[in-house]
Amino acid sequence: MKRMQSALWTALFTVLSALYLWPLGVVALNSFKKKAFISRAPFALPTARTWAGFVNYTTGLELTNFAQSAAYSLIITVLSVGLILLCTSMCAWYISRVQTRATHGVYLLCVFSMVVPFQMVMFTLSKVANLLQLNTPFTLPVIYLGFGAGLAVFMFTGYMRSVPVAIEESAMIDGCGPLRIFFGVVAPILQPVMVSTGILETMWIWNDYLLPYLILDLKRYRTIPIAVQYLRGGYGSVDMGAMMAMLVLAIVPIVVLYLFCQKYIVSGIVAGAVKG
Amino acid sequence: MERAVKKYWPVFVLPTMLACLIGFVIPFAMGFSLSFCSFTTLSDAVFTGIDNYIRAFSDTSDSFVHALWYTALFAFLSTALINVLAILVALALVRPFRGVNAFRTVFFMPNLIGGIVLGWLWQVILNGILARWGLTLVSSEWYGFWGLIVVTLWQQMGYMMIIYISGLQSIPHEQLEAAAIDGATALQTFWHVKLPMLMPSVTICLFLTLTNGFKLFDQNLALTAGMPSNRSQLLALNIYSTFYGRTGWAGAGQAKAVVFCAIVVVIAMLQLKWTRNREVQQ
């Protein structure tokens, strides 16, 4: 009876999972069809007549300069996440160990910034960033640190509460200065929350569209989401073949990465949620 | 120790605070004050009182009021659907049966795909389905509306499911056993044992889905871009196109942004307070 039930659950969820993945399959198949047949019959399997081979991929790569966009996306994400983890973990340690009115104010500011929608600062932020010449992939991380610090500080301070001060105090008695205490003692303890925070920030920054779109110098730098959106020309004319191919190229690396780091991603989500 | 660490603030706190100043505090303060000014760039602002707010609400060619209730409807409906489905799936996927982990993996995956990519992906699928009746996503604002519901449901259900699964797993075994011994049915166990114990997860999930719903932008832009004639614009997209699609409307755009921000902050606070009250002390 029990085994029977278990088999039924498995069968049910196999069907549901297949349905869930079906849209991805449709896009993948369409990326190999001639573009005229994509909008006309998106759910038809490719036939000899509609098969386009890799034409969509080559046009897409050319139209979007995809390889370059991927490189910029990678640079921006890696630098931003690195900078956020370093700076906010230091900040969070300080504000949870030195409790004054000022540090409490910093904490409240961070919590507040988590809720504020981007549209509130969109216009002025892009002007300020231009004024300060922060419009390249190498300087954009400063903006991400500024706008995205909230969540990271919040997660780190939440975790710091469960870390006993005694270890740090004994390190101090042994003659360590604050910097050595942080990098030698605290940072290793923070490792699990570093991973969680890093994953949450990576998911956000890698997929972010509007912030880089408004701030980057678009003639020279585009990220993957910007490149995909640029396939839509003036009023609705879209090369659907190239679009399908680029969607596949945008999705595949994430899925592969996910399958490898699934454990960390899932525990990162859970940790992020508990801290809320 | 506190005293020794205290004087190190330039090293520990200053970098983050400087970035916060550039990336958040200054733009926020400027944005707030500019909402009371007429301007095209930052340097030519003239104080005009609440003129911008009046313009934002009164102009009928502009669909701000429409976007307001359209977004509210979308946010509440998507929140309800996502969470109900996520709890149902989580209840099924905490059971031990063959392939559970693979199924969890599948349901979570869409979360990692960015909003722009998701929007385009679903545009093809949904237009393909609607084409059977000779319709498209932009035939009326409601096709776009339900399209957005489908997209966000597909994307966020798995994320919330993960949170609910971990919540369900943390319910002490004795409580479920006690309920079973008392002869509680599955439904009774759910309502009177599991759900109350799940309230912390419910709090955070409602918070996440509701604010996500109000802030949604990328999916909206890629799926319908606000068509037909701005009727499927959510608030974020409406504000964006006021800023960058209409000359002379930057002030009104900023006023809308302030209203938007206030709405999101108030909802977030109310909602956290409301659900916190219902949590069971563990």
Side-chain angles (χ1 to χ4, degrees):
Chain A
M1 182 63 197
K2 245 204 156 130
R3 275 179 64 187
M4 174 88 171
Q5 218 181 14
S6 165
L8 276 175
W9 278 113
T10 308
L12 174 67
F13 271 91
T14 310
V15 175
L16 288 178
S17 298
L19 279 176
Y20 220 70
L21 291 178
W22 170 74
L24 294 174
V26 171
V27 168
L29 280 178
N30 276 307
S31 71
F32 295 105
K33 284 177 8 190
K34 287 183 189 144
K35 60 181 169 189
F37 296 96
I38 293 172
S39 304
R40 209 181 298 164
F43 307 125
L45 291 171
T47 60
R49 200 163 69 92
T50 59
W51 180 259
F54 284 93
V55 175
N56 291 330
Y57 285 86
T58 46
T59 20
L61 286 172
E62 224 168 278
L63 278 174
T64 58
N65 211 345
F66 192 85
Q68 202 193 38
S69 301
Y72 285 133
S73 272
L74 194 67
I75 291 170
I76 291 170
T77 309
V78 169
L79 288 181
S80 304
V81 173
L83 191 71
I84 288 177
L85 289 183
L86 176 71
C87 293
T88 59
S89 65
M90 291 173 79
C91 176
W93 181 66
Y94 186 93
I95 65 173
S96 52
R97 290 300 181 244
V98 178
Q99 305 218 328
T100 61
R101 219 173 272 164
T103 58
H104 191 62
V106 170
Y107 179 75
L108 288 180
L109 177 70
C110 286
V111 174
F112 180 64
S113 78
M114 274 165 52
V115 189
V116 171
F118 181 66
Q119 275 68 24
M120 174 66 203
V121 297
M122 168 176 82
F123 179 77
T124 40
L125 176 59
S126 62
K127 296 285 179 211
V128 170
N130 265 325
L131 211 66
L132 297 172
Q133 310 244 312
L134 294 172
N135 55 1
T136 73
F138 305 96
T139 47
L140 195 64
V142 176
I143 303 287
Y144 271 118
L145 173 62
F147 192 72
L151 175 76
V153 170
F154 190 64
M155 297 228 356
F156 282 120
T157 43
Y159 192 81
M160 282 309 304
R161 278 193 212 117
S162 64
V163 179
V165 192
I167 314 173
E168 294 152 37
E169 272 168 351
S170 64
M172 175 146 289
I173 293 162
D174 289 344
C176 287
L179 277 172
R180 258 190 86 185
I181 294 180
F182 181 79
F183 288 104
V185 180
V186 179
I189 299 176
L190 288 180
Q191 212 189 342
V193 71
M194 288 254 182
V195 175
S196 320
T197 313
I199 282 164
L200 290 175
E201 301 282 359
T202 306
M203 280 169 60
W204 167 48
I205 295 169
W206 177 264
N207 289 324
D208 199 17
Y209 166 75
L210 194 52
L211 193 153
Y213 175 77
L214 291 177
I215 291 177
L216 286 180
D217 176 3
L218 292 178
K219 287 191 200 79
R220 294 164 64 192
Y221 313 109
R222 287 176 192 176
T223 61
I224 292 178
I226 297 174
V228 169
Q229 186 63 21
Y230 254 92
L231 273 174
R232 178 201 169 91
Y235 281 86
S237 64
V238 186
D239 181 338
M240 269 308 188
M243 177 59 89
M244 293 302 106
M246 292 310 100
L247 293 184
V248 171
L249 289 188
I251 293 170
V252 166
I254 306 172
V255 171
V256 171
L257 190 76
Y258 169 54
L259 294 178
F260 280 104
C261 327
Q262 204 192 135
K263 201 178 81 189
Y264 298 105
I265 292 177
V266 167
S267 60
I269 303 298
V270 172
V274 172
K275 293 297 174 297
Chain B
M1 187 171 107
E2 207 176 307
R3 273 181 47 217
V5 177
K6 209 169 179 174
K7 61 173 185 278
Y8 275 78
W9 68 269
V11 187
F12 284 96
V13 186
L14 197 62
T16 307
M17 280 303 106
L18 278 179
C20 238
L21 219 57
I22 298 170
F24 181 70
V25 178
I26 293 177
F28 186 89
M30 278 169 73
F32 185 74
S33 42
L34 280 179
S35 75
F36 300 100
C37 300
S38 162
F39 64 96
T40 49
T41 61
L42 296 184
S43 48
D44 65 352
V46 183
F47 183 77
T48 53
I50 58 165
D51 225 36
N52 288 328
Y53 290 87
I54 294 170
R55 272 174 86 194
F57 279 101
S58 61
D59 185 53
T60 44
S61 68
D62 187 67
S63 39
F64 183 57
V65 178
H66 177 271
L68 265 177
W69 63 258
Y70 189 82
T71 307
L73 196 64
F74 167 77
F76 285 108
L77 195 62
S78 65
T79 299
L81 289 174
I82 290 170
N83 284 286
V84 168
L85 257 171
I87 290 183
L88 288 178
V89 176
L91 283 170
L93 291 183
V94 284
R95 293 159 174 273
F97 58 85
R98 190 187 288 255
V100 199
N101 285 324
F103 299 138
R104 289 184 196 170
T105 305
V106 167
F107 289 123
F108 179 77
M109 200 170 58
N111 268 290
L112 301 159
I113 305 170
I116 293 289
V117 175
L118 275 177
W120 282 105
L121 192 158
W122 276 97
Q123 198 195 72
V124 179
I125 307 281
L126 294 172
N127 275 334
I129 296 171
L130 288 171
R132 286 178 177 233
W133 295 278
L135 296 163
T136 67
L137 274 169
V138 296
S139 295
S140 111
E141 64 196 275
W142 296 109
Y143 295 109
F145 182 87
W146 287 103
L148 281 171
I149 294 268
V150 171
V151 177
T152 44
L153 196 61
W154 190 70
Q155 181 187 18
Q156 292 178 34
M157 194 277 281
Y159 195 103
M160 304 308 146
M161 173 202 76
I162 294 283
I163 298 175
Y164 286 127
I165 286 178
S166 90
L168 286 169
Q169 282 168 339
S170 69
I171 298 175
H173 218 63
E174 302 85 69
Q175 294 199 5
L176 297 176
E177 265 167 27
I181 291 167
D182 289 346
T185 62
L187 202 63
Q188 282 172 328
T189 317
F190 174 73
W191 276 114
H192 299 292
V193 183
K194 287 183 184 169
L195 195 60
M197 295 299 287
L198 210 54
M199 276 328 263
S201 311
V202 175
T203 305
I204 188 64
C205 285
L206 288 181
F207 173 78
L208 288 172
T209 35
L210 201 58
T211 44
N212 283 347
F214 270 95
K215 290 176 173 180
L216 201 77
F217 178 84
D218 295 4
Q219 289 86 335
N220 195 191
L221 180 69
L223 196 71
T224 65
M227 289 188 286
S229 54
N230 299 346
R231 301 301 276 181
S232 72
Q233 277 179 346
L234 294 171
L235 271 176
L237 185 58
N238 180 270
I239 292 168
Y240 172 82
S241 54
T242 311
F243 265 117
Y244 297 101
R246 291 182 89 173
T247 35
W249 274 71
Q254 191 59 59
K256 290 176 179 185
V258 172
V259 174
F260 179 38
C261 180
I263 292 173
V264 173
V265 170
V266 167
I267 286 180
M269 276 167 27
L270 281 180
Q271 203 264 319
L272 272 182
K273 210 175 147 189
W274 183 73
T275 15
R276 276 275 149 83
N277 288 339
R278 304 183 141 227
E279 278 175 22
V280 180
Q281 294 292 326
Q282 294 197 23

